Amino acid sequence: MNKLYLLGLFLIFVPVLCLAQQYKHIPLQDAAGIKVHRKAPKQELQITFPNLNQLPYYQDGKKLAAIQKLEKKRRYNEVLPLLEAYVNNFGIENFYKDTPLIWRLGQLLEKQGQAEKAKSLYRLVLKHHRSDVRRVYSYYDSLEQNNKDFYVPLNYYYEMVEYRKSVSTFQPPKGVYLNMGNSINSPYEDYGPTINSEDDVLIFTSQRNTQGLNGRANEDLFYTQQQNGYWEEAKSFGKPINSIYNEGSACLSRDGNTLYFARCESPDGFGNCDLYVATKQADGTWGNIQNLGKDVNSTSWDSQPTLTANEDTIYFASDRLGGFGLSDIYYTYKNKKGEWQKAENAGPVINTRESEVSPFFHPMYQVLYFSSRGQLYNFGDFDIYKTYRVGGQWQEPRNIGPLVNGRGSEYYFSIDSKSKNLYYARSEASDLHNLDLFSFPLPMEAHPLAVTKIEGTLIDSVTNKPLSGIISVIDLENGIEISSKYIRPDGSFEFDLIDNTKYMMLIQSPDFFTIEREISLQQDTAFQIMTTIIDYSVPMVFKNIEFDQNQSDIKEDMKPILDEVALFLLDHPTYRLEISGHTDGAGDLQFNLELSQDRAEAIKDYIEEKGNLPEGRVEAYGFGSSKPLREEKTQEDRQINRRVEFRLIKPEKVDRKGR
């Protein structure tokens, strides 16, 4: 649908008593700020830590004493370069032992005007502290309240969709949290999906074979093949991949001939679980199973491997000693001889004092997905995040939103080669151990190419103050779903979208009618949006509602405006509407009274039917010529008196959802 529902009532109709003349009429494109940037993710200002995988803890008493001496003398300009150099030398243990130094460096950088670099350090404090830092949280939240996302709860998101179905041509969401069904999932835990490069073989881990080592549940690898768009019933990998030991969390090479997986409690292992590699034989079976060795594996738990696009690096999860938290993301890479090198920690931006697990490296792009319970802005227990590698550094991870992350836990995220569908394991909040496999179309927040930023500010054209509301964006070409967000406290909003694509932007608010505007991200674009809030105490008259003489039939040119009114009532289900019909003074008084009532009733019936509204939300009254606005001396006077007035009745209290 390429129709614009204008924001401000003063843009589409004139309030009675000529109140519109008190306000400047501002065209939609001429006011306040949506800007589009067609650039790859920019590199964030971060400090590098070259000692992370070289020494566990850095300390230099003389340098620290010099810094403290300058601090006491308040010579902060001299403190800053010394403290930055000191923190730059941190090893992993410094991040939880010396977080006050990171916090102090951030403060000094902020005072010097380096706000973005300072915030990156504040985030490190919040991720790695092991003490009470409520003051830091409070301070950081105050800095970020106009930068972070305020997602609309999923249940209300679907209510919004239902409200709009009768007046909107947009397709409803495809749905999220779609279970892959009984042919894949079992009554036991199923998790760890990975898909081959052809997108027709899905490998996963299951505990359905209960006879394992020492009578415990046994983890085995299973696979399913896609035929005619449907996944067939899952089958076991069988021997020699599956054994009396636990196997799982596999990934395939691009040609499908090399399998990396985890095996636990095996006699040839170095720790609890190790990473192994197997090769497909000429007859199609798997063999030549080898442990990746002590440079990769540790004496602890090592599992969940994922290959990079060029297949020379493996990222995996490990709870080995010397990490940042309970479990961390590590990586190993091949040297020129094809040998896997000593595993290294992926660093303090990805890892936290909590657990990071189940990494997935996108098969085409420099994007790493992983599950975490220690990153900022969690929706549930474990959430899935994505991070981009820019200039050799991992950028701040982004939560991929409530269309993927629910109140429970999500792990083992995987995407097909075309970035069309996602596969992952999740549990409900009520049962964190009942993992099933889920698959559904990839939402925008999770898409690797969603890097074009659209941002804007919504303000009142009279007071220049920010307005509240909900922003939704609809992909008109690909059907990719995008989470709706509340407008931030300062009136701003932003989305990361895919370039060279057409979108429809919807803005809904209790203060004005909904806007629907098409946006084409094919070139750098600047939009301007400003609106005037509704004055609910003043009735309004629509310019384009003109009945034929002595008739009460709804004309075609009235319908677009009446559709807007119906849409507003759908978007704001606790608001009511009063319609009053008025005629000029010519003709019979009783006939005019009946005609005005008929016209008001006709409009009422149309709006109720269009919006499928319940009885009582719209009321219609006819006043004939009893309430003129002007003494009728001219034809213009009579035209002004011939009108239909609309009065929106606002509920006494409106919550943040506009209900």
Side-chain angles (χ1 to χ4, degrees), residues 311-382:
E311 301 187 355
D312 64 354
T313 305
I314 294 176
Y315 284 84
F316 63 98
S318 176
D319 67 356
R320 64 187 65 189
L321 296 176
F324 288 99
L326 302 177
S327 61
D328 282 2
I329 306 298
Y330 286 80
Y331 67 94
T332 177
Y333 60 92
K334 285 182 178 179
N335 62 13
K336 294 180 179 179
K337 297 180 180 180
E339 300 167 332
W340 293 108
Q341 299 301 288
K342 185 175 179 61
E344 297 187 5
N345 193 288
V349 174
I350 289 176
N351 294 311
T352 71
R353 71 187 184 281
E354 290 283 350
S355 294
E356 280 69 45
V357 294
S358 61
F360 167 73
F361 203 99
H362 194 280
M364 293 182 64
Y365 309 106
Q366 292 287 305
V367 188
L368 180 69
Y369 299 82
F370 63 95
S371 186
S372 172
R373 63 187 304 174
Q375 292 289 336
L376 307 181
Y377 311 127
N378 268 47
F379 293 105
D381 188 32
F382 276 90

Side-chain angles (χ1 to χ4, degrees), residues 21-37:
Q21 296 177 12
Q22 300 175 16
Y23 303 97
K24 181 180 179 182
H25 286 254
I26 305 176
L28 185 64
Q29 68 274 18
D30 293 336
I34 297 179
K35 298 180 180 179
V36 177
H37 309 280

Side-chain angles (χ1 to χ4, degrees), residues 369-488:
Y369 299 82
F370 63 95
S371 186
S372 172
R373 63 187 304 174
Q375 292 289 336
L376 307 181
Y377 311 127
N378 268 47
F379 293 105
D381 188 32
F382 276 90
D383 276 5
I384 295 168
Y385 295 78
K386 70 175 180 179
T387 175
Y388 292 86
R389 191 166 181 82
V390 182
Q393 290 186 317
W394 290 112
Q395 307 303 287
E396 180 64 21
R398 311 176 188 184
N399 190 303
I400 61 175
L403 296 180
V404 174
N405 293 315
R407 294 181 179 178
S409 291
E410 291 78 27
Y411 312 90
Y412 305 101
F413 186 85
S414 185
I415 304 174
D416 62 27
S417 63
K418 299 180 179 63
S419 300
K420 293 292 185 182
N421 295 293
L422 65 85
Y423 303 86
Y424 73 153
R426 70 177 302 270
S427 66
E428 297 296 340
S430 58
D431 187 357
L432 297 179
H433 298 289
N434 185 25
L435 288 172
D436 268 356
L437 295 180
F438 288 73
S439 177
F440 49 88
L442 190 67
M444 184 65 68
E445 289 81 2
H447 203 287
L449 296 182
V451 295
T452 300
K453 189 177 296 295
I454 176 173
E455 55 189 9
T457 304
L458 184 66
I459 60 176
D460 179 14
S461 63
V462 177
T463 65
N464 284 323
K465 292 182 178 180
L467 295 173
S468 63
I470 293 173
I471 304 286
S472 302
V473 177
I474 297 171
D475 185 318
L476 296 178
E477 296 181 357
N478 306 307
I480 297 176
E481 206 160 335
I482 305 168
S483 299
S484 297
K485 300 176 184 179
Y486 292 109
I487 296 172
R488 294 166 178 155

Side-chain angles (χ1 to χ4, degrees), residues 1 3-5 7 34 160-161 164 167-170 454 458 469-476 482-487 493 495 503-509 512-519 529 567 571:
M1 182 166 65
K3 182 175 179 182
L4 177 64
Y5 287 94
L7 273 171
I34 297 179
M160 289 166 53
V161 172
R164 302 178 63 84
V167 292
S168 175
T169 60
F170 298 129
I454 176 173
L458 184 66
I470 293 173
I471 304 286
S472 302
V473 177
I474 297 171
D475 185 318
L476 296 178
I482 305 168
S483 299
S484 297
K485 300 176 184 179
Y486 292 109
I487 296 172
F493 59 90
F495 289 87
Y503 299 93
M504 184 67 72
M505 182 181 67
L506 290 78
I507 305 179
Q508 299 162 265
S509 170
F512 51 80
F513 274 95
T514 299
I515 179 178
E516 294 183 0
R517 175 155 191 179
E518 187 173 312
I519 302 170
I529 291 186
L567 182 61
D571 289 341

Side-chain angles (χ1 to χ4, degrees), residues 123-233:
R123 287 192 288 266
L124 290 178
V125 173
L126 297 178
K127 291 179 185 181
H128 296 286
H129 72 87
R130 297 190 182 181
S131 59
D132 187 357
V133 289
R134 281 177 290 184
R135 186 170 69 91
V136 182
Y137 270 110
S138 176
Y139 180 76
Y140 181 75
D141 283 346
S142 68
L143 285 179
E144 285 293 282
Q145 68 172 338
N146 293 321
N147 292 306
K148 66 181 182 180
D149 294 318
F150 296 90
Y151 284 108
V152 172
L154 194 62
N155 59 341
Y156 185 58
Y157 170 76
Y158 281 112
E159 288 181 28
M160 289 166 53
V161 172
E162 290 301 316
Y163 290 148
R164 302 178 63 84
K165 276 183 179 178
S166 63
V167 292
S168 175
T169 60
F170 298 129
Q171 295 298 313
K174 295 182 175 68
V176 298
Y177 302 164
L178 299 180
N179 192 293
M180 292 192 72
N182 294 334
S183 63
I184 308 297
N185 291 308
S186 70
Y188 303 92
E189 291 196 13
D190 302 286
Y191 47 94
T194 184
I195 193 165
N196 70 339
S197 60
E198 302 297 325
D199 300 333
D200 59 1
V201 176
L202 183 77
I203 300 172
F204 64 97
T205 309
S206 178
Q207 293 186 11
R208 64 190 68 186
N209 291 339
T210 58
Q211 298 301 315
L213 192 66
N214 300 323
R216 289 177 293 177
N218 193 30
E219 293 174 289
D220 282 340
L221 284 173
F222 285 74
Y223 70 94
T224 175
Q225 293 180 293
Q226 193 174 80
Q227 295 290 341
N228 300 320
Y230 294 94
W231 292 106
E232 296 181 335
E233 188 169 349

Side-chain angles (χ1 to χ4, degrees), residues 61-76:
K62 290 183 179 180
K63 291 182 178 179
L64 198 56
I67 291 170
Q68 292 169 344
K69 185 177 181 179
L70 290 171
E71 277 274 13
K72 289 181 181 179
K73 295 181 178 180
R74 299 184 179 182
R75 292 159 61 177
Y76 301 130

